[in-house]
Amino acid sequence: MQTNSAPDDGLYGGYVLEPYDEMFEAAGRPRPHYRDLHERLAGLGPQELERRHRLADLSMRQQGITFTVYGREQGVERIIPFDPVPRLLDAREWSRIECGLEQRVRALNLFIADVYRDRKILHDRVVPPELVYGASGYRRQCVGLHAPRDVYIHVSGIDLIRDADGRFLVLEDNCRTPSGVSYVLKNRQVMKQVFPLLFGQHDIRPVDDYTDNLLALLRWIAPEGCDDPAVVVLTPGVHNSAYYEHSFLARQMGVELVEGRDLVFDRGQIFRRTTRGLQRVDVIYRRVDDDFLDPMTFRKDSMLGVPGLIGAYHAGNIGLANSLGTGVADDKGIYPFVPDIIHYYLGEDPILENVETFRPLVPSHRQHILANLESLVVKAVDASGGYGMLIGPASTREQREEFARKIQDNPRGYIAQPTIRLSRHPTFIDGRLDGRHIDLRPFVLYGETITVLPGGLTRVALPRGSLVVNSSQGGGTKDTWVLGGASDA
Amino acid sequence: MLSRVAENLFWMNRYLERAENVARLLGIELDLELDAGGRSGESGSSPVEIALNVLACRTEFVVSHGPADRTADLEFLTFDRGNMQSILSMIARARENARGTQESIGVDAWRQANRLYLYLCSSKARRRFHSSPSSFYTTIKDSCILFDGMIQNTLPRDEVYHFLQLGRFLERVDVMGRILHAKCQDSMATESGTGGSEPGIESVRWTGLLRSCSAYGAYLRSERDRVDPLSVIRFLVLDPDFPRAVRFCVARCRESLREIVGGDDDEVAIEAERLLGRLESELRYIDVGEIFERGLLPFLDGIQSICRRVGQEIQRTFFLV
């Protein structure tokens, strides 16, 4: 641990360097692609940064860029804390990530197609069948399903972290209805409004063509013979925590935002209820989970879905993104096998590696886990959003004992990973910059081609020392700049 | 357009229009009360009473309230979330509807509705309310008008716009009817009770009515006459050009409904359009003297009842698909 400079030295005063630091390669020495930003921040100074930071918050609050927090009272609207110091990725590094993501999503997509049809990968014993059938995202109703053009995971968000050695690793795949992309687009907008100065001479890859690409993708999956498809975004409603995003995407694409009760199934087709009677729907970008999509096929108590929707999909009368049952690919129990899945379908080595993962089902792994709970992170395979986790180094004896019991009772229900020191990034805290842990969720669109949104959502754990970046647990976000090739030369 | 969205838009503007009118009314009435000095008891109902009548929430008020206390009364009408008709409750519902229709009304209008709501929830609003109620209400009224300005200047004249217009003007007809009813009942009661009050008070009262409708300046330019009951009623009910006059609002409702329904001008496709068309032509050809002969209050009641039926018909035709 080393201190960057004297504590009273403005914005960077007292900055503590810990590996891996995204901005600094050594004390007082910013990495080449951060030099310009480093200087511009210093020029701005703490007070101006503070003032503009407040403006950014106010602008987000007034635009209603909020999410709903469950658990207390009944749903409080909050803005996600926005950190004004952007995270930078240089062109060379990004192009490797881009290739790695494309490879991974391609393989996961083939995996889903295989699992619900030929099951070759299961017969060849590359992935244990019991893990697939036992996965919480596996849907037996999808057996035999053939998605139009063989694409299942149209939109995915793959969570990456950088370890102490500076390597990017995949922490988690999100193949169902990943959210956060609206923050990527909004963060950039607010950044331009409030901190135009910081952009300077940087050559930054734009992000705002995301919604154009998404719309093109959705039109591409329309049923055959449909020249001008009617596309809609399906939301659970205004009380959903990601409602802002649903509404934002519908607005940016210029399509209607519908709820389940606006749609009706009639003779194999889906219609929407309009002031001029029923009108046909051709493609649904659904932000409703599988279970709630159609009470005739999945949960009978769902009030959010459309009875008959799955029938219309099977009959090929409607395009659906993402397809059904895709949760089997992002299951935490399947995750350790993704490198093998890539090998199996593509015959390639994974470009992006997984985090080392132990499975209690394997006896030697189980012993290792139980002996090292203090240094491991244990995750329930069917939980997300930072819930149902044990973070070894921050846990109490009682918590460790509780998890040891759970693991022994239900070894299939958990995985364990070494506690990774996520990379840190200068973050504006109490009038100066301080290192905070971050991750990255890039978004991948799988249509006619696979496109990766340059950058993605950088999440930052704001409490000092915290490794949990989820917005439901006090995480914030940063604008993420992928720099063009020019600045590298 | 989705029926659910159309319904949200229609009600959003009804709530905003109602909130705007209550804010305007309270702002002006509190101001007038100062003019009338200690004689408010003599010159008719208090601002709170009039607002309660207009909002038809006197019963809730009596139930939830103890002895009269001016500030508590105003708070009930303004900030009380338990009172469905308080300004805050109405703005909250309008804002919730706006949140659910952002992709239709656009970012500017949504942001304005959100800003107004956040302001009403803030301590800043409370401080302003306590230090200067009249100017607080003016701020609220202006914010509502700014929202409408966003709508007028950013939206294309399509179905979205016309459902918004329909909600706004139908509510305005309704509220104007209620305001006239409350204020005129007052005037008539004192006239017959005391055998005519002094002319000064009389004129103050009718001027007050005009001001509660933001109509004083327009009235003076149009009538070039002293303020007398007949001309005031003629202006507020029958004027074709003043945007808060009943006839003007009914005409806007009918126009927007026509745009929504489509089809040619000679055919009446739905019941709501027939009701509005008939009311519009009556307001066009009736003489103000006849209104008084028939009785002003029954005449206003008639307009209210047509408003209700139009609302029901719109609900039936467009929202219950």
Side-chain angles (χ1 to χ4, degrees), chain A residues 97-309:
Chain A
I97 293 175
E98 212 170 12
C99 295
L101 293 171
E102 190 183 326
Q103 177 195 51
R104 192 168 176 107
V105 171
R106 197 182 291 284
L108 289 174
N109 191 68
L110 288 167
F111 174 67
I112 293 171
D114 189 16
V115 154
Y116 290 118
R117 290 217 299 279
D118 305 334
R119 301 180 184 154
K120 284 195 212 122
I121 198 165
L122 307 183
H123 296 140
D124 292 338
R125 294 269 147 193
V126 175
V127 178
E130 65 274 18
L131 285 185
V132 169
Y133 301 138
S136 62
Y138 179 79
R139 292 285 170 277
R140 59 182 167 70
Q141 296 89 339
C142 298
V143 171
L145 176 73
H146 192 129
R149 301 178 191 253
D150 271 325
V151 177
Y152 295 81
I153 318 172
H154 306 93
V155 182
S156 54
I158 311 291
D159 291 349
L160 304 178
I161 56 172
R162 201 206 280 267
D163 68 6
D165 302 326
R167 287 184 310 162
F168 272 103
L169 302 171
V170 177
L171 183 66
E172 194 172 289
D173 303 292
N174 295 284
C175 301
R176 285 165 284 179
T177 53
S179 53
V181 74
S182 56
Y183 296 102
V184 177
L185 274 61
K186 272 293 167 190
N187 283 354
R188 179 66 54 83
Q189 251 180 38
V190 169
M191 217 41 207
K192 281 183 183 167
Q193 243 175 46
V194 182
F195 293 99
L197 243 82
L198 294 181
F199 284 75
Q201 299 302 311
H202 292 105
D203 169 20
I204 302 163
R205 301 259 310 263
V207 291
D208 48 14
D209 58 353
Y210 177 82
T211 45
D212 291 347
N213 293 334
L214 179 60
L215 184 60
L217 182 163
L218 294 170
R219 295 174 65 97
W220 180 69
I221 59 169
E224 266 177 65
C226 190
D227 291 335
D228 186 18
V231 176
V232 298
V233 176
L234 175 64
T235 174
V238 71
H239 301 294
N240 184 265
S241 64
Y243 180 79
Y244 173 76
E245 175 152 313
H246 307 159
S247 149
F248 172 82
L249 291 174
R251 194 169 66 218
Q252 292 295 308
M253 292 193 285
V255 305
E256 272 178 327
L257 179 67
V258 303
E259 295 177 17
R261 57 186 158 128
D262 298 324
L263 300 182
V264 53
F265 171 84
D266 186 31
R267 273 165 284 175
Q269 316 273 8
I270 298 293
F271 297 87
R272 57 194 200 281
R273 302 172 205 267
T274 78
T275 50
R276 288 159 205 250
L278 296 179
Q279 284 175 2
R280 207 181 135 159
V281 172
D282 302 301
V283 180
I284 302 180
Y285 176 40
R286 50 100 168 202
R287 297 295 298 260
V288 173
D289 291 341
D290 284 356
D291 280 346
F292 296 95
L293 214 44
D294 180 350
M296 282 165 72
T297 307
F298 300 114
R299 280 179 62 158
K300 292 189 172 40
D301 60 342
S302 170
M303 306 291 285
L304 307 174
V306 188
L309 180 67

Side-chain angles (χ1 to χ4, degrees), chain B residues 74-87:
Chain B
L74 287 176
E75 274 181 355
F76 173 81
L77 283 169
T78 310
F79 296 111
D80 193 335
R81 279 181 190 268
N83 171 13
M84 294 296 283
Q85 302 285 340
S86 72
I87 292 180

Side-chain angles (χ1 to χ4, degrees), chain B residues 247-290:
Chain B
R247 177 177 160 194
F248 179 94
C249 302
V250 170
R252 297 294 86 71
C253 281
R254 202 188 60 82
E255 273 168 20
S256 282
L257 198 57
R258 185 97 280 258
E259 291 295 327
I260 292 166
V261 175
D264 75 78
D265 265 349
D266 299 330
E267 228 175 291
V268 174
I270 64 171
E271 179 66 8
E273 195 184 352
R274 195 186 63 78
L275 289 167
L276 283 169
R278 211 169 97 173
L279 179 58
E280 189 190 355
S281 61
E282 176 165 30
L283 293 172
R284 181 176 196 155
Y285 297 113
I286 199 170
D287 178 74
V288 67
E290 195 186 330

Side-chain angles (χ1 to χ4, degrees), chain B residues 10-305:
Chain B
F10 176 78
W11 281 103
M12 173 174 71
N13 252 6
R14 289 200 73 156
Y15 294 136
L16 280 169
E17 177 69 22
R18 203 178 306 170
E20 178 193 323
N21 277 287
V22 174
R24 169 186 288 109
L25 190 68
L26 285 172
I28 298 295
E29 291 291 328
L30 289 171
D31 196 56
L32 286 177
E33 209 179 32
L34 298 177
D35 283 344
R39 291 191 291 189
S40 63
E42 205 181 324
S43 71
S45 305
S46 74
V48 173
E49 298 257 322
I50 292 171
L52 287 172
N53 277 331
V54 168
L55 292 169
C57 64
R58 186 180 282 280
T59 334
E60 291 90 327
F61 181 74
V62 172
V63 171
S64 67
H65 260 68
D69 162 5
R70 167 53 63 85
T71 308
D73 293 350
L74 287 176
E75 274 181 355
F76 173 81
L77 283 169
T78 310
F79 296 111
D80 193 335
R81 279 181 190 268
N83 171 13
M84 294 296 283
Q85 302 285 340
S86 72
I87 292 180
L88 177 56
S89 292
M90 286 190 285
I91 298 290
R93 270 177 286 165
R95 182 255 188 185
E96 202 58 17
N97 284 9
R99 199 157 97 89
T101 52
Q102 281 170 61
E103 68 294 342
S104 301
I105 59 172
V107 274
D108 293 329
W110 153 243
R111 194 171 48 215
Q112 175 56 21
N114 195 34
R115 227 159 46 190
L116 172 55
Y117 171 73
L118 294 175
Y119 172 70
L120 265 172
C121 296
S122 69
S123 53
K124 202 166 143 195
R126 294 278 179 158
R127 283 199 301 275
R128 185 82 182 275
F129 167 77
H130 285 291
S131 67
S132 167
S134 165
S135 82
F136 165 79
Y137 288 113
T138 306
T139 306
I140 300 299
K141 178 201 74 181
D142 289 350
S143 294
C144 292
I145 292 177
L146 183 54
F147 175 86
D148 192 48
M150 300 278 184
I151 296 290
Q152 298 300 335
N153 292 289
T154 59
L155 289 193
R157 273 32 180 173
D158 59 9
E159 228 184 329
V160 169
Y161 175 81
H162 288 294
F163 269 107
L164 286 166
Q165 289 287 96
L166 194 56
R168 178 165 296 271
F169 283 106
L170 190 62
E171 182 65 28
R172 195 175 289 174
V173 173
D174 196 4
V175 171
M176 282 298 292
R178 287 163 190 267
I179 292 177
L180 289 169
H181 203 290
K183 301 275 285 187
C184 296
Q185 199 168 25
D186 242 28
S187 306
M188 291 174 178
T190 35
E191 262 166 55
S192 55
T194 60
S197 44
E198 36 180 310
I201 295 281
E202 178 70 4
S203 147
V204 164
R205 192 174 301 135
W206 289 101
T207 306
L209 172 59
L210 285 168
R211 287 183 57 196
S212 322
C213 305
S214 299
Y216 189 48
Y219 172 87
L220 290 180
R221 280 194 301 281
S222 153
E223 301 298 310
R224 304 170 186 282
D225 199 357
R226 68 183 193 87
V227 176
D228 75 289
L230 229 62
S231 328
V232 170
I233 293 299
R234 196 211 60 75
F235 188 71
L236 291 179
V237 178
L238 302 181
D239 195 87
D241 301 318
F242 179 64
R244 312 197 69 79
V246 176
R247 177 177 160 194
F248 179 94
C249 302
V250 170
R252 297 294 86 71
C253 281
R254 202 188 60 82
E255 273 168 20
S256 282
L257 198 57
R258 185 97 280 258
E259 291 295 327
I260 292 166
V261 175
D264 75 78
D265 265 349
D266 299 330
E267 228 175 291
V268 174
I270 64 171
E271 179 66 8
E273 195 184 352
R274 195 186 63 78
L275 289 167
L276 283 169
R278 211 169 97 173
L279 179 58
E280 189 190 355
S281 61
E282 176 165 30
L283 293 172
R284 181 176 196 155
Y285 297 113
I286 199 170
D287 178 74
V288 67
E290 195 186 330
I291 294 180
F292 279 88
E293 272 162 39
R294 280 205 234 161
L296 178 58
L297 297 184
F299 181 79
L300 292 172
D301 287 340
I303 291 178
Q304 296 261 286
S305 114

